[in-house]
Amino acid sequence: MTEFGKIVQAADELERPVTIGSEAYVSEEYARLEQDRLWRRVWLQAGRLEDIPEVGDFITYDVLTDSILIVRTAPDQVKAFYNVCPHRGRRLVDTPPGKRNARANRSNFICGFHAWTFDLEGGCKYIPNREDWQGDLSDEDVRLGAVHCDTWGGWIWINMDDEPQPLRDYLEPAATLLDPYQLQNMRPRWRKWIVFECNWKVALEAFNETYHVASTHPEFMAFGDFPGWARNQGLHSNIGYDAPADMDEQQGKLRIGAGEDARISTAEMQAYTWAAANTNTTQTMVDVAQRLSEELPAGTPPAEVLAYWITRSKQVDAERGVVWPEVPSSHATKAGTSWQIFPNFQVGQAVNNMLCYQARPHDFDPNKCVFEAAVYELYPEGQAPETEWEYTERGKWPPVLEQDFTNMAAVQQGMKNKGFRGTKPNPYRERAVASLHYNLSRFMGTGAPHRLK
């Protein structure tokens, strides 16, 4: 990379144009250093609480060579351990072939090598021929290694650092700005994952800005153009839309279509979003949108169309037992439409649904990652669908995501081109990209953005 100016020393410098080298995307050495300098030092979103509702339920979470076992140990308690037997190092729980992770219910965990047996609290309860150790094998010697574990937003978070900061502190200000959306009450409608041919940062950066929408997803431009912003939020970042002054609700995910008749363009936009993206809306919102031209007179101003559409959708949902949280438009303006939780998780929030992305390295190959996407929404009590993480090949994702995939693969190749001199994110619309690398450099000791001048 060509160093155009001084290294960025403070987050507010990201408001000016910067450039970022390709080391973090393509270097094998950098990819290996990430394990100790990054992944073992940060809070990582590792699963949903609803995946382990009963005592004995467990899931696993893997990142590089580390595998974590997350267990419901009591009705109100979840704990995490390293998924490895302290005897000879065999994994206690294997991931079934083709699955993202293991998930089941057990009363104990038995090592498949020598049958050492552990209870839900990580204690070793049975060792064949333990007397052969001549009394020198203490209970602490044979316990499963504990991993810091906490919950927020309905997710389970783990941290492998010896003395991490509290999860709530780590998540601020995202946690405070997202709490009113009551994300813990949402349940997944679908969950997909894939091993993809790009670095995990390339994958995340395909979704942490709206600057690409006009060229990558031109079909959406028929429904309006709401330019987006991106902001550094300490360790994290968020993005949102610059909405018309008379439609503050447009700051959120529930946006109406532009056009001569907002009733029709909104119906068309919702139908297209549901069919081509299968995200950022719900069946209720789509159905109500299709009736706007019947229930509102021609010439209804866009702001009134928006207000009616949202109000009527809330009513329809309430009638079936789905109550939206109340989030003032002033709060939604600050919260934006999506948060990038450092280092590798994105929450695209709305009052009745959310779209989440996560990306992790695949082995130590800088050119591959595990990419995941999940759509959540509110359901009547007991009526949420049962979903699993489905491995989904290219060509079988929603068409809008397939458009993003094309960029991701091409960017990874382009980053290795001799003629590439470093990425130059838009300082207003793509500041989340610069923010990610600014914070990464604080952990990694290299790769910091440089000022262009």
Side-chain angles (χ1 to χ4, degrees):
M1 148 184 166
T2 300
E3 296 185 2
F4 291 88
K6 68 174 185 175
I7 294 175
V8 170
Q9 301 288 349
D12 58 6
E13 294 181 52
L14 300 175
E15 297 175 14
R16 297 287 303 278
V18 300
T19 183
I20 304 160
S22 59
E23 176 190 21
Y25 303 98
V26 302
S27 167
E28 293 183 14
E29 179 183 3
Y30 186 102
R32 290 192 172 276
L33 289 174
E34 282 182 343
Q35 181 164 65
D36 286 327
R37 295 185 183 182
L38 178 68
W39 302 110
R40 289 175 173 173
R41 296 179 57 201
V42 294
W43 284 100
L44 299 170
Q45 185 276 109
R48 289 288 290 184
L49 281 167
E50 60 262 24
D51 283 341
I52 51 171
E54 305 296 332
V55 173
D57 286 347
F58 72 89
I59 56 175
T60 58
Y61 178 81
D62 298 345
V63 56
L64 293 174
T65 60
D66 293 313
S67 182
I68 311 300
L69 181 63
I70 301 163
V71 189
R72 172 78 69 175
T73 59
D76 60 349
Q77 189 172 66
V78 175
K79 292 187 176 182
F81 309 96
Y82 289 104
N83 180 23
V84 61
C85 179
H87 173 215
R88 293 276 296 279
R90 191 204 190 283
R91 278 194 178 187
L92 282 177
V93 178
D94 296 321
T95 301
K99 295 292 186 179
R100 170 189 179 270
N101 61 285
R103 177 184 177 188
N105 180 286
R106 294 184 186 174
S107 58
N108 54 35
F109 296 94
I110 303 174
C111 179
F113 199 177
H114 298 91
W116 284 34
T117 302
F118 305 85
D119 63 19
L120 300 183
E121 298 284 344
C124 187
K125 297 304 179 184
Y126 172 69
I127 298 175
N129 310 115
R130 183 167 184 167
E131 65 276 7
D132 293 344
W133 275 266
Q134 304 165 45
D136 289 341
L137 203 61
S138 71
D139 289 346
E140 194 59 31
D141 288 334
V142 296
R143 283 190 61 82
L144 296 182
V147 177
H148 294 278
C149 182
D150 204 345
T151 62
W152 172 82
W155 286 287
I156 303 161
W157 302 76
I158 59 96
N159 193 315
M160 292 179 273
D161 198 21
D162 291 336
E163 296 182 358
Q165 69 181 119
L167 174 64
R168 182 75 191 200
D169 295 345
Y170 180 89
L171 291 175
E172 291 296 357
T176 293
L177 286 167
L178 288 174
D179 277 343
Y181 293 88
Q182 300 178 21
L183 307 181
Q184 69 275 9
N185 295 331
M186 298 186 189
R187 297 293 179 266
R189 180 158 57 83
W190 59 258
R191 298 187 277 185
K192 299 179 183 293
W193 71 288
I194 187 174
V195 175
F196 201 82
E197 302 295 322
C198 73
N199 190 271
W200 64 271
K201 304 169 209 69
V202 169
L204 289 177
E205 290 166 12
F207 302 96
N208 69 2
E209 44 87 0
T210 59
Y211 189 45
H212 72 284
V213 173
S215 54
T216 299
H217 311 299
E219 296 84 358
F220 279 111
M221 303 313 293
F223 310 119
D225 178 18
F226 301 101
W229 49 261
R231 298 169 185 154
N232 170 271
Q233 298 283 0
L235 198 56
H236 317 294
S237 61
N238 68 336
I239 62 176
Y241 289 95
D242 294 322
D246 62 339
M247 290 191 287
D248 286 342
E249 292 86 349
Q250 288 279 37
Q251 301 276 8
K253 285 287 180 69
L254 306 179
R255 299 184 296 277
I256 66 168
E260 294 184 3
D261 191 329
R263 304 170 308 161
I264 295 174
S265 59
T266 298
E268 292 174 343
M269 181 181 68
Q270 284 292 297
Y272 177 76
T273 300
W274 187 257
N278 204 3
T279 65
N280 297 334
T281 190
T282 67
Q283 187 68 65
T284 296
M285 299 295 297
V286 175
D287 291 345
V288 172
Q290 305 314 304
R291 297 193 295 269
L292 289 174
S293 61
E294 303 171 9
E295 299 175 0
L296 293 175
T300 301
E304 294 181 21
V305 172
L306 174 62
Y308 178 86
W309 177 43
I310 292 177
T311 300
R312 183 59 185 140
S313 295
K314 289 171 65 175
Q315 291 173 344
V316 171
D317 265 356
E319 291 167 2
R320 67 187 188 96
V322 172
V323 179
W324 298 8
E326 294 294 333
V327 180
S329 60
S330 58
H331 185 95
T333 299
K334 295 179 182 178
T337 61
S338 183
W339 279 83
Q340 296 75 48
I341 307 298
F342 185 83
N344 69 324
F345 184 49
Q346 178 160 300
V347 181
Q349 79 281 358
V351 291
N352 61 354
N353 73 94
M354 63 177 166
L355 167 62
C356 298
Y357 299 112
Q358 189 181 65
R360 292 170 280 153
H362 184 262
D363 295 327
F364 291 98
D365 186 346
N367 300 299
K368 288 186 177 181
C369 72
V370 177
F371 175 75
E372 304 167 355
V375 167
Y376 299 77
E377 66 178 85
L378 296 172
Y379 289 96
E381 184 68 29
Q383 295 184 30
E386 291 290 330
T387 65
E388 297 285 348
W389 284 101
E390 299 179 2
Y391 189 85
T392 307
E393 298 283 357
R394 283 287 307 272
K396 296 183 179 180
W397 288 70
V400 170
L401 289 180
E402 292 285 349
Q403 292 173 325
D404 292 305
F405 287 173
T406 299
N407 287 335
M408 290 154 56
V411 164
Q412 187 65 28
Q413 291 302 309
M415 289 277 187
K416 293 178 281 188
N417 191 306
K418 181 181 178 180
F420 182 64
R421 299 192 300 273
T423 187
K424 302 168 185 64
N426 184 310
Y428 181 71
R429 308 192 191 287
E430 297 179 292
R431 197 178 306 160
V433 174
S435 176
L436 171 62
H437 289 267
Y438 167 72
N439 284 306
L440 274 174
S441 70
R442 296 163 66 191
F443 283 81
M444 298 295 296
T446 186
H450 283 66
R451 288 274 297 273
L452 279 175
K453 290 184 178 180

